[in-house]
């Protein structure tokens, strides 16, 4: 292997080491729960995987650093480097000289890099948690602006580029009203904010506050916890809605076929922002109606 080729391997190793250990403010591994780090791109996750390969080769060879590796081990790292950064001709040439029986693995890595580069940029910013991303998407509006903007999205049925979860506000209102009246749920019939009664407005306001929290929802939950008549229920619904909306924020798009029925069970409603939002709206309306806000 030429000095130039070996230097390219060491430069690549330094790059992927920085991504795995420094770039995102924490040590990332292939065992890391990706949901906790939505700002990490697919190419960065590939870098983490390849960094672990480099370290595995070094450790199994009993080498203190890369320069102490044998020619055979160095060639493994060269193939991994070219899988990520080399031309097809360079990569194919390196595979022809493989003595480690790792050619198929390296082809898989090259395919993995190609796939990762084809993926859209992460919705979260580097170092941003899913909850911080959720808040960034949704905050900064008055309640009526947030509701009416969400209503426009809901009526349009276009959820591609799922930049906010504001449609969950009028969605929950219309779904609850349709269930109560036992009529079909038609999204274009979702009422404008000005047509909501006071308990509905207050409940929608609680939902919007939940969408705008960038960290723990505990403070908001504590506001209602011991308040009659159902503060404990509202508290639990806040937590589940925040969890559901955070999961939804991680999705690039939402299907236009939104749920319209009644949630079957608590287990089911823990899984989506749609059912948790409905439950929160229902519980919060009863909470505020009992506090003479109607």
């Amino acid at each position: 292997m030429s000095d130039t080729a070996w230097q390219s391997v060491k430069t690549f190793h330094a790059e992927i080491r920085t991504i795995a250990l420094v770039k995102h403010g924490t040590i990332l591994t292939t065992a890391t729960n990706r949901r906790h780090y939505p700002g990490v791109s697919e190419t960065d996750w590939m870098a983490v995987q390849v960094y672990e390969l480099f370290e595995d080769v070094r450790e199994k060879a009993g080498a203190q650093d890369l320069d102490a590796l044998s020619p055979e081990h160095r060639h493994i790292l060269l193939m991994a480097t070219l899988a990520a950064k080399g031309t097809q001709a360079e990569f194919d040439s390196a595979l022809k000289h493989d003595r480690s029986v790792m050619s198929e693995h390296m082809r898989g890595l090259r395919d993995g890099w190609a796939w990762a580069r084809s993926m859209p940029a992460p919705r979260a910013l580097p170092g941003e948690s899913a909850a911080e991303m959720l808040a960034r998407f949704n905050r900064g509006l008055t309640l009526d602006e947030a509701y009416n903007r969400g209503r426009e999205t809901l009526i349009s049925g276009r959820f591609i580029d799922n930049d906010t979860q504001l449609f969950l506000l009028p969605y929950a209102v219309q779904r609850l009203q349709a269930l109560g009246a036992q009529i079909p749920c038609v999204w274009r019939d979702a009422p404008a904010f000005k047509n909501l009664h006071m308990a509905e407005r207050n409940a929608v306001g609680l939902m919007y506050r939940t969408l705008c929290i960038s960290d723990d929802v505990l403070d908001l939950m504590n506001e209602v916890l011991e308040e009659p008549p159902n503060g404990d229920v509202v508290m639990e619904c806040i937590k589940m809605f925040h969890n559901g909306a955070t999961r939804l924020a991680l999705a690039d798009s939402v299907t236009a076929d939104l749920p319209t029925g009644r949630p079957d069970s608590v287990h089911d409603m823990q899984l989506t922002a749609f059912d948790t939002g409905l439950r929160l709206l229902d519980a919060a309306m009863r909470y505020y109606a009992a506090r003479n806000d109607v």
Side-chain angles (χ1 to χ4, degrees), residues 166-195:
L166 298 178
F167 73 91
L168 292 171
L169 307 179
Y171 162 84
V173 170
Q174 178 59 16
R175 184 178 173 188
L176 189 62
Q177 287 188 358
L179 286 170
Q182 296 183 335
I183 59 176
C185 194
V186 180
W187 304 127
R188 66 174 177 270
D189 293 339
F193 185 79
K194 65 181 180 180
N195 295 327

PDB file of all heavy atoms in Angstrom, residues 166-195:
ATOM      1  N   LEU A 166     -49.345  21.039  14.190  1.00  0.00           N
ATOM      2  CA  LEU A 166     -50.448  21.933  14.545  1.00  0.00           C
ATOM      3  C   LEU A 166     -51.792  21.397  14.078  1.00  0.00           C
ATOM      4  O   LEU A 166     -52.828  21.716  14.670  1.00  0.00           O
ATOM      5  CB  LEU A 166     -50.210  23.331  13.957  1.00  0.00           C
ATOM      6  CG  LEU A 166     -48.952  24.052  14.461  1.00  0.00           C
ATOM      7  CD1 LEU A 166     -48.804  25.397  13.770  1.00  0.00           C
ATOM      8  CD2 LEU A 166     -49.002  24.222  15.975  1.00  0.00           C
ATOM      9  N   PHE A 167     -51.801  20.581  13.025  1.00  0.00           N
ATOM     10  CA  PHE A 167     -53.071  20.028  12.553  1.00  0.00           C
ATOM     11  C   PHE A 167     -53.721  19.140  13.602  1.00  0.00           C
ATOM     12  O   PHE A 167     -54.929  18.857  13.537  1.00  0.00           O
ATOM     13  CB  PHE A 167     -52.873  19.245  11.251  1.00  0.00           C
ATOM     14  CG  PHE A 167     -52.183  17.921  11.418  1.00  0.00           C
ATOM     15  CD1 PHE A 167     -52.930  16.767  11.638  1.00  0.00           C
ATOM     16  CD2 PHE A 167     -50.807  17.820  11.386  1.00  0.00           C
ATOM     17  CE1 PHE A 167     -52.303  15.537  11.796  1.00  0.00           C
ATOM     18  CE2 PHE A 167     -50.175  16.603  11.539  1.00  0.00           C
ATOM     19  CZ  PHE A 167     -50.920  15.455  11.756  1.00  0.00           C
ATOM     20  N   LEU A 168     -52.941  18.684  14.601  1.00  0.00           N
ATOM     21  CA  LEU A 168     -53.507  17.846  15.648  1.00  0.00           C
ATOM     22  C   LEU A 168     -54.531  18.599  16.500  1.00  0.00           C
ATOM     23  O   LEU A 168     -55.401  17.980  17.110  1.00  0.00           O
ATOM     24  CB  LEU A 168     -52.383  17.309  16.550  1.00  0.00           C
ATOM     25  CG  LEU A 168     -51.421  16.308  15.907  1.00  0.00           C
ATOM     26  CD1 LEU A 168     -50.247  16.038  16.832  1.00  0.00           C
ATOM     27  CD2 LEU A 168     -52.151  15.016  15.556  1.00  0.00           C
ATOM     28  N   LEU A 169     -54.444  19.924  16.531  1.00  0.00           N
ATOM     29  CA  LEU A 169     -55.382  20.706  17.337  1.00  0.00           C
ATOM     30  C   LEU A 169     -56.793  20.657  16.733  1.00  0.00           C
ATOM     31  O   LEU A 169     -57.731  20.185  17.392  1.00  0.00           O
ATOM     32  CB  LEU A 169     -54.884  22.153  17.476  1.00  0.00           C
ATOM     33  CG  LEU A 169     -53.443  22.329  17.989  1.00  0.00           C
ATOM     34  CD1 LEU A 169     -53.087  23.816  18.039  1.00  0.00           C
ATOM     35  CD2 LEU A 169     -53.269  21.681  19.354  1.00  0.00           C
ATOM     36  N   PRO A 170     -56.998  21.120  15.500  1.00  0.00           N
ATOM     37  CA  PRO A 170     -58.350  21.006  14.920  1.00  0.00           C
ATOM     38  C   PRO A 170     -58.740  19.561  14.637  1.00  0.00           C
ATOM     39  O   PRO A 170     -59.937  19.234  14.647  1.00  0.00           O
ATOM     40  CB  PRO A 170     -58.247  21.817  13.621  1.00  0.00           C
ATOM     41  CG  PRO A 170     -56.791  21.800  13.282  1.00  0.00           C
ATOM     42  CD  PRO A 170     -56.075  21.832  14.596  1.00  0.00           C
ATOM     43  N   TYR A 171     -57.762  18.716  14.387  1.00  0.00           N
ATOM     44  CA  TYR A 171     -58.054  17.295  14.185  1.00  0.00           C
ATOM     45  C   TYR A 171     -58.769  16.723  15.402  1.00  0.00           C
ATOM     46  O   TYR A 171     -59.800  16.053  15.281  1.00  0.00           O
ATOM     47  CB  TYR A 171     -56.765  16.528  13.913  1.00  0.00           C
ATOM     48  CG  TYR A 171     -56.890  15.035  14.119  1.00  0.00           C
ATOM     49  CD1 TYR A 171     -57.392  14.226  13.102  1.00  0.00           C
ATOM     50  CD2 TYR A 171     -56.533  14.439  15.323  1.00  0.00           C
ATOM     51  CE1 TYR A 171     -57.539  12.853  13.278  1.00  0.00           C
ATOM     52  CE2 TYR A 171     -56.665  13.076  15.515  1.00  0.00           C
ATOM     53  CZ  TYR A 171     -57.169  12.283  14.494  1.00  0.00           C
ATOM     54  OH  TYR A 171     -57.313  10.933  14.695  1.00  0.00           O
ATOM     55  N   ALA A 172     -58.222  16.974  16.584  1.00  0.00           N
ATOM     56  CA  ALA A 172     -58.823  16.428  17.800  1.00  0.00           C
ATOM     57  C   ALA A 172     -60.213  17.008  18.033  1.00  0.00           C
ATOM     58  O   ALA A 172     -61.144  16.302  18.438  1.00  0.00           O
ATOM     59  CB  ALA A 172     -57.913  16.705  18.997  1.00  0.00           C
ATOM     60  N   VAL A 173     -60.374  18.312  17.767  1.00  0.00           N
ATOM     61  CA  VAL A 173     -61.677  18.956  17.951  1.00  0.00           C
ATOM     62  C   VAL A 173     -62.730  18.320  17.041  1.00  0.00           C
ATOM     63  O   VAL A 173     -63.821  17.945  17.492  1.00  0.00           O
ATOM     64  CB  VAL A 173     -61.574  20.471  17.666  1.00  0.00           C
ATOM     65  CG1 VAL A 173     -62.974  21.103  17.624  1.00  0.00           C
ATOM     66  CG2 VAL A 173     -60.732  21.153  18.741  1.00  0.00           C
ATOM     67  N   GLN A 174     -62.394  18.181  15.764  1.00  0.00           N
ATOM     68  CA  GLN A 174     -63.379  17.638  14.825  1.00  0.00           C
ATOM     69  C   GLN A 174     -63.668  16.167  15.106  1.00  0.00           C
ATOM     70  O   GLN A 174     -64.825  15.729  15.025  1.00  0.00           O
ATOM     71  CB  GLN A 174     -62.868  17.821  13.387  1.00  0.00           C
ATOM     72  CG  GLN A 174     -63.776  17.247  12.306  1.00  0.00           C
ATOM     73  CD  GLN A 174     -65.167  17.858  12.317  1.00  0.00           C
ATOM     74  OE1 GLN A 174     -65.411  18.910  12.919  1.00  0.00           O
ATOM     75  NE2 GLN A 174     -66.109  17.190  11.655  1.00  0.00           N
ATOM     76  N   ARG A 175     -62.638  15.415  15.444  1.00  0.00           N
ATOM     77  CA  ARG A 175     -62.857  13.995  15.732  1.00  0.00           C
ATOM     78  C   ARG A 175     -63.737  13.826  16.962  1.00  0.00           C
ATOM     79  O   ARG A 175     -64.654  12.998  16.973  1.00  0.00           O
ATOM     80  CB  ARG A 175     -61.521  13.295  15.928  1.00  0.00           C
ATOM     81  CG  ARG A 175     -61.619  11.780  16.152  1.00  0.00           C
ATOM     82  CD  ARG A 175     -60.243  11.170  16.293  1.00  0.00           C
ATOM     83  NE  ARG A 175     -60.308   9.755  16.680  1.00  0.00           N
ATOM     84  CZ  ARG A 175     -59.246   9.024  17.015  1.00  0.00           C
ATOM     85  NH1 ARG A 175     -58.036   9.566  16.998  1.00  0.00           N
ATOM     86  NH2 ARG A 175     -59.387   7.755  17.360  1.00  0.00           N
ATOM     87  N   LEU A 176     -63.486  14.610  18.003  1.00  0.00           N
ATOM     88  CA  LEU A 176     -64.284  14.502  19.225  1.00  0.00           C
ATOM     89  C   LEU A 176     -65.724  14.930  18.978  1.00  0.00           C
ATOM     90  O   LEU A 176     -66.661  14.295  19.471  1.00  0.00           O
ATOM     91  CB  LEU A 176     -63.652  15.342  20.335  1.00  0.00           C
ATOM     92  CG  LEU A 176     -64.256  15.164  21.726  1.00  0.00           C
ATOM     93  CD1 LEU A 176     -64.079  13.724  22.219  1.00  0.00           C
ATOM     94  CD2 LEU A 176     -63.614  16.145  22.720  1.00  0.00           C
ATOM     95  N   GLN A 177     -65.898  16.009  18.211  1.00  0.00           N
ATOM     96  CA  GLN A 177     -67.258  16.460  17.924  1.00  0.00           C
ATOM     97  C   GLN A 177     -68.022  15.416  17.115  1.00  0.00           C
ATOM     98  O   GLN A 177     -69.204  15.162  17.368  1.00  0.00           O
ATOM     99  CB  GLN A 177     -67.218  17.788  17.166  1.00  0.00           C
ATOM    100  CG  GLN A 177     -66.818  18.984  18.014  1.00  0.00           C
ATOM    101  CD  GLN A 177     -66.968  20.305  17.279  1.00  0.00           C
ATOM    102  OE1 GLN A 177     -67.340  20.340  16.106  1.00  0.00           O
ATOM    103  NE2 GLN A 177     -66.675  21.398  17.975  1.00  0.00           N
ATOM    104  N   ALA A 178     -67.364  14.802  16.141  1.00  0.00           N
ATOM    105  CA  ALA A 178     -68.024  13.800  15.305  1.00  0.00           C
ATOM    106  C   ALA A 178     -68.392  12.568  16.123  1.00  0.00           C
ATOM    107  O   ALA A 178     -69.479  11.999  15.958  1.00  0.00           O
ATOM    108  CB  ALA A 178     -67.116  13.419  14.142  1.00  0.00           C
ATOM    109  N   LEU A 179     -67.496  12.164  17.028  1.00  0.00           N
ATOM    110  CA  LEU A 179     -67.794  11.018  17.877  1.00  0.00           C
ATOM    111  C   LEU A 179     -68.974  11.324  18.795  1.00  0.00           C
ATOM    112  O   LEU A 179     -69.857  10.477  19.000  1.00  0.00           O
ATOM    113  CB  LEU A 179     -66.560  10.648  18.705  1.00  0.00           C
ATOM    114  CG  LEU A 179     -65.428   9.945  17.958  1.00  0.00           C
ATOM    115  CD1 LEU A 179     -64.185   9.849  18.836  1.00  0.00           C
ATOM    116  CD2 LEU A 179     -65.871   8.547  17.514  1.00  0.00           C
ATOM    117  N   GLY A 180     -68.978  12.539  19.343  1.00  0.00           N
ATOM    118  CA  GLY A 180     -70.066  12.911  20.247  1.00  0.00           C
ATOM    119  C   GLY A 180     -71.419  12.970  19.548  1.00  0.00           C
ATOM    120  O   GLY A 180     -72.442  12.599  20.118  1.00  0.00           O
ATOM    121  N   ALA A 181     -71.414  13.456  18.302  1.00  0.00           N
ATOM    122  CA  ALA A 181     -72.665  13.581  17.552  1.00  0.00           C
ATOM    123  C   ALA A 181     -73.002  12.321  16.766  1.00  0.00           C
ATOM    124  O   ALA A 181     -74.062  12.245  16.145  1.00  0.00           O
ATOM    125  CB  ALA A 181     -72.568  14.773  16.594  1.00  0.00           C
ATOM    126  N   GLN A 182     -72.068  11.363  16.777  1.00  0.00           N
ATOM    127  CA  GLN A 182     -72.236  10.105  16.035  1.00  0.00           C
ATOM    128  C   GLN A 182     -72.499  10.373  14.554  1.00  0.00           C
ATOM    129  O   GLN A 182     -73.438   9.837  13.947  1.00  0.00           O
ATOM    130  CB  GLN A 182     -73.357   9.256  16.647  1.00  0.00           C
ATOM    131  CG  GLN A 182     -73.061   8.795  18.063  1.00  0.00           C
ATOM    132  CD  GLN A 182     -74.143   7.890  18.625  1.00  0.00           C
ATOM    133  OE1 GLN A 182     -75.295   7.927  18.222  1.00  0.00           O
ATOM    134  NE2 GLN A 182     -73.749   7.034  19.564  1.00  0.00           N
ATOM    135  N   ILE A 183     -71.650  11.231  13.995  1.00  0.00           N
ATOM    136  CA  ILE A 183     -71.732  11.558  12.569  1.00  0.00           C
ATOM    137  C   ILE A 183     -70.371  11.291  11.937  1.00  0.00           C
ATOM    138  O   ILE A 183     -69.357  11.172  12.640  1.00  0.00           O
ATOM    139  CB  ILE A 183     -72.128  13.038  12.356  1.00  0.00           C
ATOM    140  CG1 ILE A 183     -71.094  13.955  13.026  1.00  0.00           C
ATOM    141  CG2 ILE A 183     -73.534  13.301  12.888  1.00  0.00           C
ATOM    142  CD1 ILE A 183     -71.351  15.436  12.780  1.00  0.00           C
ATOM    143  N   PRO A 184     -70.319  11.176  10.609  1.00  0.00           N
ATOM    144  CA  PRO A 184     -69.024  10.961   9.951  1.00  0.00           C
ATOM    145  C   PRO A 184     -68.050  12.097  10.248  1.00  0.00           C
ATOM    146  O   PRO A 184     -68.458  13.258  10.381  1.00  0.00           O
ATOM    147  CB  PRO A 184     -69.389  10.915   8.461  1.00  0.00           C
ATOM    148  CG  PRO A 184     -70.820  10.517   8.436  1.00  0.00           C
ATOM    149  CD  PRO A 184     -71.439  11.134   9.655  1.00  0.00           C
ATOM    150  N   CYS A 185     -66.785  11.754  10.343  1.00  0.00           N
ATOM    151  CA  CYS A 185     -65.743  12.738  10.645  1.00  0.00           C
ATOM    152  C   CYS A 185     -65.211  13.295   9.323  1.00  0.00           C
ATOM    153  O   CYS A 185     -64.492  12.614   8.593  1.00  0.00           O
ATOM    154  CB  CYS A 185     -64.630  12.068  11.450  1.00  0.00           C
ATOM    155  SG  CYS A 185     -63.498  13.229  12.212  1.00  0.00           S
ATOM    156  N   VAL A 186     -65.570  14.539   9.020  1.00  0.00           N
ATOM    157  CA  VAL A 186     -65.169  15.187   7.770  1.00  0.00           C
ATOM    158  C   VAL A 186     -64.261  16.351   8.117  1.00  0.00           C
ATOM    159  O   VAL A 186     -64.687  17.295   8.797  1.00  0.00           O
ATOM    160  CB  VAL A 186     -66.406  15.686   6.984  1.00  0.00           C
ATOM    161  CG1 VAL A 186     -65.966  16.348   5.683  1.00  0.00           C
ATOM    162  CG2 VAL A 186     -67.365  14.537   6.724  1.00  0.00           C
ATOM    163  N   TRP A 187     -63.023  16.304   7.653  1.00  0.00           N
ATOM    164  CA  TRP A 187     -62.026  17.276   8.107  1.00  0.00           C
ATOM    165  C   TRP A 187     -62.341  18.697   7.647  1.00  0.00           C
ATOM    166  O   TRP A 187     -62.029  19.665   8.349  1.00  0.00           O
ATOM    167  CB  TRP A 187     -60.638  16.857   7.644  1.00  0.00           C
ATOM    168  CG  TRP A 187     -60.267  15.485   8.089  1.00  0.00           C
ATOM    169  CD1 TRP A 187     -59.833  14.460   7.308  1.00  0.00           C
ATOM    170  CD2 TRP A 187     -60.304  14.963   9.422  1.00  0.00           C
ATOM    171  NE1 TRP A 187     -59.608  13.328   8.054  1.00  0.00           N
ATOM    172  CE2 TRP A 187     -59.890  13.612   9.367  1.00  0.00           C
ATOM    173  CE3 TRP A 187     -60.673  15.492  10.667  1.00  0.00           C
ATOM    174  CZ2 TRP A 187     -59.831  12.801  10.489  1.00  0.00           C
ATOM    175  CZ3 TRP A 187     -60.609  14.687  11.790  1.00  0.00           C
ATOM    176  CH2 TRP A 187     -60.198  13.364  11.699  1.00  0.00           C
ATOM    177  N   ARG A 188     -62.986  18.843   6.502  1.00  0.00           N
ATOM    178  CA  ARG A 188     -63.306  20.206   6.040  1.00  0.00           C
ATOM    179  C   ARG A 188     -64.350  20.873   6.922  1.00  0.00           C
ATOM    180  O   ARG A 188     -64.556  22.088   6.846  1.00  0.00           O
ATOM    181  CB  ARG A 188     -63.786  20.176   4.587  1.00  0.00           C
ATOM    182  CG  ARG A 188     -65.109  19.478   4.350  1.00  0.00           C
ATOM    183  CD  ARG A 188     -65.565  19.621   2.892  1.00  0.00           C
ATOM    184  NE  ARG A 188     -66.810  18.881   2.643  1.00  0.00           N
ATOM    185  CZ  ARG A 188     -66.857  17.626   2.249  1.00  0.00           C
ATOM    186  NH1 ARG A 188     -65.710  16.963   2.050  1.00  0.00           N
ATOM    187  NH2 ARG A 188     -68.015  17.023   2.048  1.00  0.00           N
ATOM    188  N   ASP A 189     -65.009  20.076   7.762  1.00  0.00           N
ATOM    189  CA  ASP A 189     -65.997  20.634   8.688  1.00  0.00           C
ATOM    190  C   ASP A 189     -65.379  21.058  10.025  1.00  0.00           C
ATOM    191  O   ASP A 189     -66.099  21.518  10.919  1.00  0.00           O
ATOM    192  CB  ASP A 189     -67.107  19.615   8.961  1.00  0.00           C
ATOM    193  CG  ASP A 189     -67.947  19.335   7.720  1.00  0.00           C
ATOM    194  OD1 ASP A 189     -67.947  20.175   6.811  1.00  0.00           O
ATOM    195  OD2 ASP A 189     -68.585  18.257   7.676  1.00  0.00           O
ATOM    196  N   ALA A 190     -64.069  20.895  10.168  1.00  0.00           N
ATOM    197  CA  ALA A 190     -63.414  21.286  11.424  1.00  0.00           C
ATOM    198  C   ALA A 190     -63.676  22.763  11.686  1.00  0.00           C
ATOM    199  O   ALA A 190     -63.447  23.611  10.815  1.00  0.00           O
ATOM    200  CB  ALA A 190     -61.922  21.022  11.339  1.00  0.00           C
ATOM    201  N   PRO A 191     -64.170  23.128  12.857  1.00  0.00           N
ATOM    202  CA  PRO A 191     -64.531  24.526  13.124  1.00  0.00           C
ATOM    203  C   PRO A 191     -63.314  25.437  13.196  1.00  0.00           C
ATOM    204  O   PRO A 191     -62.223  25.007  13.584  1.00  0.00           O
ATOM    205  CB  PRO A 191     -65.235  24.439  14.491  1.00  0.00           C
ATOM    206  CG  PRO A 191     -64.663  23.212  15.127  1.00  0.00           C
ATOM    207  CD  PRO A 191     -64.424  22.249  14.009  1.00  0.00           C
ATOM    208  N   ALA A 192     -63.498  26.674  12.803  1.00  0.00           N
ATOM    209  CA  ALA A 192     -62.447  27.673  12.973  1.00  0.00           C
ATOM    210  C   ALA A 192     -62.299  27.996  14.458  1.00  0.00           C
ATOM    211  O   ALA A 192     -63.200  27.739  15.264  1.00  0.00           O
ATOM    212  CB  ALA A 192     -62.799  28.933  12.181  1.00  0.00           C
ATOM    213  N   PHE A 193     -61.195  28.596  14.813  1.00  0.00           N
ATOM    214  CA  PHE A 193     -60.929  28.881  16.223  1.00  0.00           C
ATOM    215  C   PHE A 193     -61.996  29.798  16.814  1.00  0.00           C
ATOM    216  O   PHE A 193     -62.414  29.620  17.963  1.00  0.00           O
ATOM    217  CB  PHE A 193     -59.543  29.503  16.379  1.00  0.00           C
ATOM    218  CG  PHE A 193     -59.143  29.715  17.804  1.00  0.00           C
ATOM    219  CD1 PHE A 193     -58.683  28.661  18.578  1.00  0.00           C
ATOM    220  CD2 PHE A 193     -59.239  30.971  18.398  1.00  0.00           C
ATOM    221  CE1 PHE A 193     -58.319  28.848  19.906  1.00  0.00           C
ATOM    222  CE2 PHE A 193     -58.882  31.165  19.715  1.00  0.00           C
ATOM    223  CZ  PHE A 193     -58.419  30.102  20.473  1.00  0.00           C
ATOM    224  N   LYS A 194     -62.447  30.756  16.029  1.00  0.00           N
ATOM    225  CA  LYS A 194     -63.429  31.713  16.546  1.00  0.00           C
ATOM    226  C   LYS A 194     -64.746  31.046  16.903  1.00  0.00           C
ATOM    227  O   LYS A 194     -65.558  31.614  17.663  1.00  0.00           O
ATOM    228  CB  LYS A 194     -63.666  32.816  15.519  1.00  0.00           C
ATOM    229  CG  LYS A 194     -64.317  32.333  14.230  1.00  0.00           C
ATOM    230  CD  LYS A 194     -64.504  33.479  13.248  1.00  0.00           C
ATOM    231  CE  LYS A 194     -65.170  32.994  11.954  1.00  0.00           C
ATOM    232  NZ  LYS A 194     -65.348  34.112  10.994  1.00  0.00           N
ATOM    233  N   ASN A 195     -64.983  29.855  16.368  1.00  0.00           N
ATOM    234  CA  ASN A 195     -66.236  29.150  16.639  1.00  0.00           C
ATOM    235  C   ASN A 195     -66.141  28.151  17.787  1.00  0.00           C
ATOM    236  O   ASN A 195     -67.121  27.438  18.063  1.00  0.00           O
ATOM    237  CB  ASN A 195     -66.700  28.430  15.368  1.00  0.00           C
ATOM    238  CG  ASN A 195     -67.055  29.396  14.258  1.00  0.00           C
ATOM    239  OD1 ASN A 195     -67.546  30.499  14.528  1.00  0.00           O
ATOM    240  ND2 ASN A 195     -66.800  29.011  13.015  1.00  0.00           N
TER     241      ASN A 195
END
